[in-house]
Amino acid sequence: MDRFLSSAVNRIDAKGRVSVPAHFRAVVQKRGYSELYALRCLDRPAMDVGGLDLLDRYEQRIAQEDPFLRTADDMSFFCHGDGTFLKLDQDGRITMSDFIREHTGISAEVAFVGRGNFFQIWEPGRLSTYGAEARARLLQLRQGTKPGERPE
Amino acid sequence: MDRFLSSAVNRIDAKGRVSVPAHFRAVVQKRGYSELYALRCLDRPAMDVGGLDLLDRYEQRIAQEDPFLRTADDMSFFCHGDGTFLKLDQDGRITMSDFIREHTGISAEVAFVGRGNFFQIWEPGRLSTYGAEARARLLQLRQGTKPGERPE
DNA sequence: AATGTCCAAATGGGATATCATGGGGCACTA
DNA sequence: TAGTGCCCCATGATATCCCATTTGGACATT
């Protein structure tokens, strides 16, 4: 399987390292990612993590905009300024920098969530909160609340 | 990787020096920049820093303007006159001149922000304010695409 | 079903390399 | 002579390498 699926929670050690789930590492290798690109999610306390193709997609999108308009600048600000590279060490671990901790609230444990072509990193507590909200929204949709309306 | 990515804040020492993040220095070297050029951003308290090709970008912009209008002249004045060269010392540091401090409000710490082909220098507080605004604009964009659609 | 064995993955930690930062000293110059 | 820029080195913090130990699940055996 070459997609990031399922989820797992791993502990951060005293040096700030955390193991990427073996299954994810296998996908990373199968896809030939030599480096991982991590991006602060726009509206959630999570990081999207994937290969450079993730970044390429953003850059291609930006290229379509007028480079001198603010939108293009905002987009670049986001995908370059709010992104970072992650290095897998030889034991398959990554280090949780302050850059990541600030945005996610991660401190002692990390939740890894597969998302197909990429995966996400969450603080476990916030993930379950968010998951509950997402389910509630879907439920409301089914029960006939106006689509697009944000519950709460 | 040969792009300026991610952000970091470093402290200015008693002599007015600040370390350019190692990753940025690596990119500078990989791109073969022998000198760094810093330009005052037009509409923000930040500096754009990059190789001389940074000027290409602005000159391209100027070329779009009607050469008979004052705008073109202003722009040229701006990009050719309102910039300065930055020298990396042997330890990979640059000196924060008054020219930079005045425009950015930098005093004790410097935030470096990768922007792909160049990077920016900010006063950390102002950066976070501006970043929040930029993200808000992007969110707006996304929500304009299709109401109720699951953002991705 | 309970227990034991094995293996892969996760975790811990010492040693080392890299980086940010502070500071001394020298040359040039205003 | 004070100020500035530049060179060099010291130090502490962090990141990385490498190896040891623990954990947990799959499988086999009884």
Side-chain angles (χ1 to χ4, degrees), chain A residues 10-115:
Chain A
N10 286 343
R11 193 178 320 150
I12 298 178
D13 71 12
K15 296 181 179 179
R17 301 170 299 183
V18 63
S19 293
V20 173
H23 174 247
F24 286 8
R25 298 203 304 262
V27 176
V28 164
Q29 194 178 7
K30 184 165 286 181
R31 289 183 168 226
Y33 295 154
S34 54
E35 239 170 341
L36 289 176
Y37 169 68
L39 180 67
R40 289 174 165 178
C41 289
L42 204 47
D43 56 350
R44 301 168 225 184
M47 309 285 300
D48 282 351
V49 185
L52 287 184
D53 49 350
L54 201 58
L55 176 59
D56 288 339
R57 268 182 53 207
Y58 281 111
E59 290 185 336
Q60 282 165 19
R61 173 72 182 81
I62 290 172
Q64 294 172 4
E65 296 286 322
D66 180 336
F68 297 110
L69 290 187
R70 189 164 64 178
T71 299
D73 200 71
D74 285 346
M75 287 177 169
S76 154
F77 195 91
F78 170 66
C79 84
H80 295 120
D82 269 355
T84 187
F85 290 121
L86 294 181
K87 227 178 319 168
L88 277 169
D89 71 16
Q90 334 190 122
D91 298 322
R93 289 183 277 198
I94 53 179
T95 54
M96 292 292 108
S97 60
D98 289 344
F99 182 81
I100 295 176
R101 292 174 192 260
E102 273 172 27
H103 182 69
T104 59
I106 286 171
S107 62
E109 290 189 322
V110 181
F112 293 84
V113 183
R115 294 296 301 267

Side-chain angles (χ1 to χ4, degrees), chain B residues 38-59:
Chain B
L39 212 51
R40 287 177 163 175
C41 287
L42 261 182
D43 46 357
R44 292 189 282 267
M47 309 288 297
D48 282 352
V49 184
L52 285 181
D53 52 353
L54 188 61
L55 287 176
D56 294 344
R57 177 183 146 87
Y58 282 93
E59 282 169 352

Side-chain angles (χ1 to χ4, degrees), chain B residues 12-17:
Chain B
I12 299 178
D13 70 13
K15 295 182 178 181
R17 302 170 300 181

